[in-house]
Amino acid sequence: MDRRQAMSLEVRPMEKGDLEALAVLEALCFSEPWSQESLGEELSNPNACFLTAAEGGEVWGYGGMHFACGEFYLDNLAVFPQHRHKGAARAILLALRDFALAQKGAFLTLEVRPSNTAAIALYTGLGFRETGRRKNFYTRPAEDALLLQLDLTGEA
Ligand SMILES: CC(C)(COP(=O)(O)OP(=O)(O)OC[C@H]1O[C@@H](n2cnc3c(N)ncnc32)[C@H](O)[C@@H]1OP(=O)(O)O)[C@@H](O)C(=O)NCCC(=O)NCCS
């Protein structure tokens, strides 16, 4: 990992100007990608926090979550292939966690494919623990989902 590059990485709220690149990233990473329009709707959603990681004006990746009643749900997290292994996803996830902590959140939860070893290593490395499994949650290809959760009550 090139930590020098990660040093100048900025994690900031998602902006309208990011949407085109993020829709491309979604299509690159997921079998049921969010459209540019769906992403744009989150810009004005008071119960959502979507963050972009960028360096020198170039979008590297993004992550977004919804929340209600102190419960935070991570919708998506993705980094362009050419910018992986530079700490971008960890930086985005830590910023999302800090947002949830500042809101006095109880936990941050997410679903992940059991085959997604990179994402699972990222999440468990930050303290997420498995809390369950949803049968046949994903399609194309069909796969269960692991439920992972980060307790926020002991971290503030
Ligand atoms: C998963 C993903 C977001 C990781 O992004 P990234 O910016 O490369 O991750 P980081 O550089 O921040 O890595 C942080 C940690 O994640 C883990 N990790 C990341 N990529 C990994 C890989 N290919 N294999 C194993 N562990 C990996 C490591 O624990 C790493 O820590 P380390 O560098 O100290 O070893 C990226 O691979 C991606 O966009 N994948 C496609 C979309 C996706 O699957 N999103 C998750 C949906 S639940």
Side-chain angles (χ1 to χ4, degrees):
M1 180 187 299
D2 188 344
R3 293 285 178 196
R4 285 170 304 168
Q5 281 182 288
M7 291 290 283
S8 53
L9 191 69
E10 178 193 15
V11 179
R12 51 153 176 80
M14 183 173 76
E15 298 167 356
K16 197 172 175 198
D18 300 331
L19 299 179
E20 192 175 343
L22 295 181
V24 170
L25 177 60
E26 276 280 318
L28 207 58
C29 294
F30 302 112
S31 58
E32 294 181 21
W34 285 32
S35 65
Q36 188 170 333
E37 188 185 18
S38 309
L39 289 163
E41 284 169 8
E42 302 304 340
L43 293 173
S44 56
N45 183 347
N47 295 109
C49 174
F50 277 64
L51 302 178
T52 298
E55 195 215 37
E58 185 189 3
V59 170
W60 283 19
Y62 92 113
M65 59 186 182
H66 285 97
F67 51 92
C69 306
E71 299 179 3
F72 289 73
Y73 173 80
L74 185 79
D75 295 288
N76 270 337
L77 179 69
V79 173
F80 278 101
Q82 67 271 29
H83 292 305
R84 290 181 188 164
H85 312 292
K86 298 176 184 175
R90 181 187 281 118
I92 296 165
L93 202 50
L94 287 174
L96 290 169
R97 183 204 62 181
D98 289 348
F99 178 93
L101 281 171
Q103 306 279 315
K104 305 212 181 308
F107 60 81
L108 173 56
T109 187
L110 59 90
E111 288 115 5
V112 60
R113 287 181 183 268
S115 61
N116 194 344
T117 53
I120 291 169
L122 166 68
Y123 298 133
T124 55
L126 288 177
F128 282 79
R129 295 291 170 256
E130 188 177 330
T131 54
R133 187 178 272 254
R134 290 195 211 286
K135 277 304 232 186
N136 292 317
F137 182 79
Y138 292 107
T139 56
R140 293 183 291 154
E143 194 172 352
D144 292 351
L146 287 185
L147 297 178
L148 301 185
Q149 187 165 306
L150 179 68
D151 176 33
L152 299 172
T153 55
E155 297 208 23

